[in-house]
Amino acid sequence: MSDYAMYHALGGQRPDNGSLHPQSQLQPSPPQFRSPGAPAPPGYQQNGSSYSQMAPSLQFGQHEGVSQSGYQPQVGATQEQGYFPPQGQSGAYEDGTIRGLAGQMASMGFGGEAPGAGRPNKKKHRHAYHNLEQPTGSSQAFNGITQGGVNPTQFSNADPSHPYASQPVTPAMSQFPAPVNGPFTPGSQPTSMEYAARPNFGGIAPSIPAPSGPGVSAQGRVDPEQIPSVPRSRDGPARYYLDHVYPTMEQHLPPPGAAPFVAHDQGNSSPKFARLTLNNIPSTSEALTAAALPLGLVLQPLALLQAGEHPIPVLDFGETGPPRCRRCRAYINPFMTFRSGGNKLVCNMCTFPNEVAPEYFAPTDPSGVRVDRAQRPELTMGTVEFMVPKEYWAKEPVGLRWLFLIDVGQEAVNRGWLEAFCDGILNALYSEEEGATDGVGENGDSTVIKRKIPLGSKVGFVTFDKDVHFYNCNANLEQAQMLVMPDIEDPFVPLGSDGLFVDPYESKSIISSLLARIPELFSRIKSPEPALLPTLNAALSALSSTGGKIVCSLSALPTWGPGRLFLRDDGKLHNIETEKKLFTTDHPGWKKTATKMVESGVGVDFFIGAAGGGYMDIATIGHVSAVTGGEMFFYPNFHAARDRLKLSLEVKHTVARETGYQALMKVRCSNGLQVSSYHGNFLQHTFGADLEFGVIDADKAIGVIFSYDGKLDAKLDAHFQCALLYTTASGERRVRCTNTVASVSEGALEGMRYIDQDAVVNMIAKEAATKMTDRTLKDIRNALTEKTVDILAGYRKSFSGSHPPGQLVLPENLKEFSMYMLGLLKSRAFKAGSEPSDRRTHTMRMLNSMGALELSLFLYPRILPLHNLAASDGFPDPQTGHLIVPPTIRASFSRIEEGGAYLVDDGQVCLLWLHSQVSPNLVEDLFGEGKTSLQSLDPTLSALPVLETHLNAQVRNLVAYWSSVRGSKSLTVQLARQGLDGSEYEFARLLVEDRNNEAQSYVDWLVHVHRSIQLELAGQRKREDGGPGPAGGGIEGAASGIAGLRPSWM
């Protein structure tokens, strides 16, 4: 039985289970989250601009020919009014389609679950950290019915501080920028994005009574503030965790995936490393089936820690190795207990009593706690690392060998790819930013070297076109020596490892000279067809004895030599049954090479720049990086002037992030549960075998689905342990153990209160991506839709209490689940319509490896308006030192203002969208003197210039903050000027609440889900995936594999 005091007898007070955000005496000081913020220019003050401050006399377009009064970019000036032109007042909407939509939404409540009559918590002190008596939410109907006397807005997902809450609707704030009831002219026709922002695009409304009440306007419009909002669900926790620490045992629900936080490890691993879909697990499979939820674990074992968090302790038990259970081989962890005065160690996974080794023995106190518990991190922390003896070694561990394979073909030279990639390597190894230091000097002096890679790591360089060229960069040479290997049929390494792999700081001058000369050298030797597979095989030969990591660039389809590829995607296979063949490879040579790499402890990161958006066969080339645990950085239409900085930053990131190689992973769980399947980028020879990785890094996540092989004991907790055996970049063989605990209850009702929404979405996305190679995209889309309905209908049917049947009742912790699922349906992997197979395959493999943070941003981008920033936004708070980050807005064109400027970031690309009527003053303050129109801006811009204006400093600080709260892709700014840049199409695609990407708008999607739930409750639902009617039924349907339960033999 897991009691907090039993696990952590450290002298602190027992946490108050009744508080929503308990503060413990065991917590460290609040996080000092200090963004690299630039100070405001001296003597310069900008007052924030809001719509209520705008002078009513100014008209649209006045800034075109007349100088605006108010904002002047000079020292000592103040801004009396904003960049944004004033908006006229709007009357009521008279559009019939909106009335029809409001009719569809009649009697629908968007809130949380209603407080249920839960049974008394007689087992309160049995569980590790859960409070099972909290209210579970509310349900608010648009027809004004209050539930149980509760104010309808008490638990609704509304923010009273929202700028729209107390203002009349203006044309720019509406979905139709033209004045209401204005004269019809062709010039006032809505654009495609404006049309997509309309809630109802069909114009067909069923005969449902018109709604009324606080959630509906007098004109019958659905109040968008009553629909669950992803931005508010992120911004609130992000502000809270600026000043609070997340205690991993006392708090039962982790913060949202996109919210930065500092975790205090109290024995349960931080959500950065492991997130359970259910933090309270039903004891039987029948109860879980009723909820239709996946029981899974999202693991990111090498995740990056935030400043202020305790570093992962590294423990060395000598030649004996860490204590382990003799039966299930679980590693020692805080939830194992000691008996017989400390002589017996009882495993928390299988309950087997183990003899304690004499060298590990310590007596226990009267309560059964070891007297040295507080001094042993393995007994007090959920995530630890163990040094392991030689019996865990596959080969002698050495520092990580980096081998850079550089494409020097004609396409790489002509498009600037070669020069950009070489500059990226130089930046990754030798940039002047702060790095790790190493005090080495030939004469014993304290020469300090800023190292970007750990001491002991080495680098090597190979270029390739039709031939393969190796370079000897030994520090004793005056310049690098090139050795050509022309025999690509039987590749070999023509020089020893001492010449190929060198310390990059001992050979700095040679390497710098080589990388500077390579673009010039091969500009005279142009070969149009690269031979990639022979180059990879030669690199494998060079690394087979030690293991290592390959970083490979490619700019053209490899059509030369063994493993040559050809154009498979000619557009004829799209939207038909055989399209799935384009998402995988059947080439035996590439598959064989990938398998050999994993067995040798080698992984590959690819940087692929498609020439003019051409076909690159990502399915075949990316198979190598996916199987070996690497990553693909794909530039589908590389333009050197625009993408050079992004390429350089991402090469630097792949070198600098924490990376391990020769890795094996094993996941263990409590009796009564078993691993059903794994999802991610790895190699697994047979089901049940360990997962094998050539390399694994801080950005990679793996999904694990569990099923029942018995019944769990509700008196005990369920435990999960992930053990990752790997070699660090510095050459140490370690095991990183991640321990997670969840309480167990008899039914699923209590578990519904402790759902981790980000983990649920992540598991469903990973399983859907896995199915792309053997199911049609239409089947997968239908399965995702049905899975959404199954989960919400299961809650409505079994757990929501007595609500009118017309209400859509959402679980408190799954309010935004429908929006994330819609974002998944709109992603390039699954969207309907025609999409290049390279883009689909690349997105599929990204989904397989994304953690909670990166996936959350990918499915729902963050959008920040820049034209109405307050004066303090984007600068550190004087009291706390935290950067003041303004709230983001919903991803809909209805929220885009006339004359506005917006930053849009989905974790992969960051767009700066500028309205065609944006203020010239704003443009000049952002981009510099003389830049007063959109046409004067450089379309290849990738970073804001450093200026002394207040606005420029604000935006640069916010961009720097966003770049620190992201996944593996680097943040560079790309312009999207309305009516000028092609990137505006990408901006429209990212407005996921609108009708786009061949899918419905958010409101219409909720209408469809609600209608399906009503049919399910009435027993009349016909599943689109061909499966049986009841939620969570059989395995015959296409949705059965989407985060569902599977029998053990599958």
Side-chain angles (χ1 to χ4, degrees), residues 918-931:
V918 68
S919 167
N921 292 333
L922 183 148
V923 176
E924 190 170 34
D925 278 357
L926 266 182
F927 300 102
E929 188 175 354
K931 307 288 187 182

Side-chain angles (χ1 to χ4, degrees), residues 57-284:
S57 59
L58 294 178
Q59 301 297 324
F60 286 159
Q62 181 172 346
H63 61 269
E64 302 265 346
V66 181
S67 175
Q68 272 188 307
S69 62
Y71 187 89
Q72 297 294 333
Q74 60 186 8
V75 176
T78 60
Q79 181 182 350
E80 297 293 339
Q81 80 191 61
Y83 298 116
F84 187 72
Q87 306 299 312
Q89 298 297 323
S90 163
Y93 284 113
E94 298 296 337
D95 187 68
T97 60
I98 297 180
R99 286 184 173 177
L101 177 64
Q104 290 186 30
M105 301 298 287
S107 302
M108 290 177 61
F110 293 98
E113 52 191 276
R119 59 181 177 85
N121 184 15
K122 297 180 180 179
K123 300 177 181 178
K124 179 176 180 180
H125 300 299
R126 290 179 180 175
H127 297 280
Y129 54 98
H130 296 303
N131 170 22
L132 303 181
E133 296 178 337
Q134 290 184 344
T136 59
S138 69
S139 172
Q140 177 181 353
F142 284 133
N143 58 11
I145 299 176
T146 59
Q147 300 298 323
V150 179
N151 186 338
T153 61
Q154 182 178 356
F155 295 101
S156 65
N157 204 357
D159 183 3
S161 64
H162 194 277
Y164 296 158
S166 59
Q167 296 183 9
V169 177
T170 66
M173 297 160 67
S174 72
Q175 293 119 345
F176 301 96
V180 177
N181 293 332
F184 177 81
T185 61
S188 64
Q189 293 182 6
T191 66
S192 59
M193 283 192 294
E194 293 163 355
Y195 181 77
R198 303 194 312 179
N200 186 20
F201 52 85
I204 303 173
S207 56
I208 302 178
S212 62
V216 181
S217 67
Q219 292 78 33
R221 284 187 70 240
V222 174
D223 185 355
E225 296 309 312
Q226 302 303 319
I227 299 176
S229 168
V230 173
R232 281 197 295 273
S233 71
R234 292 173 177 171
D235 293 342
R239 287 191 298 269
Y240 176 83
Y241 284 107
L242 279 176
D243 300 308
H244 297 80
V245 171
Y246 174 76
T248 61
M249 284 289 288
E250 301 167 33
Q251 196 120 330
H252 49 273
L253 269 180
F261 63 94
V262 168
H264 174 37
D265 191 336
Q266 299 176 317
N268 191 33
S269 286
S270 165
K272 290 182 171 70
F273 301 113
R275 300 179 80 108
L276 274 170
T277 56
L278 293 169
N279 292 281
N280 182 286
I281 300 174
S283 60
T284 63

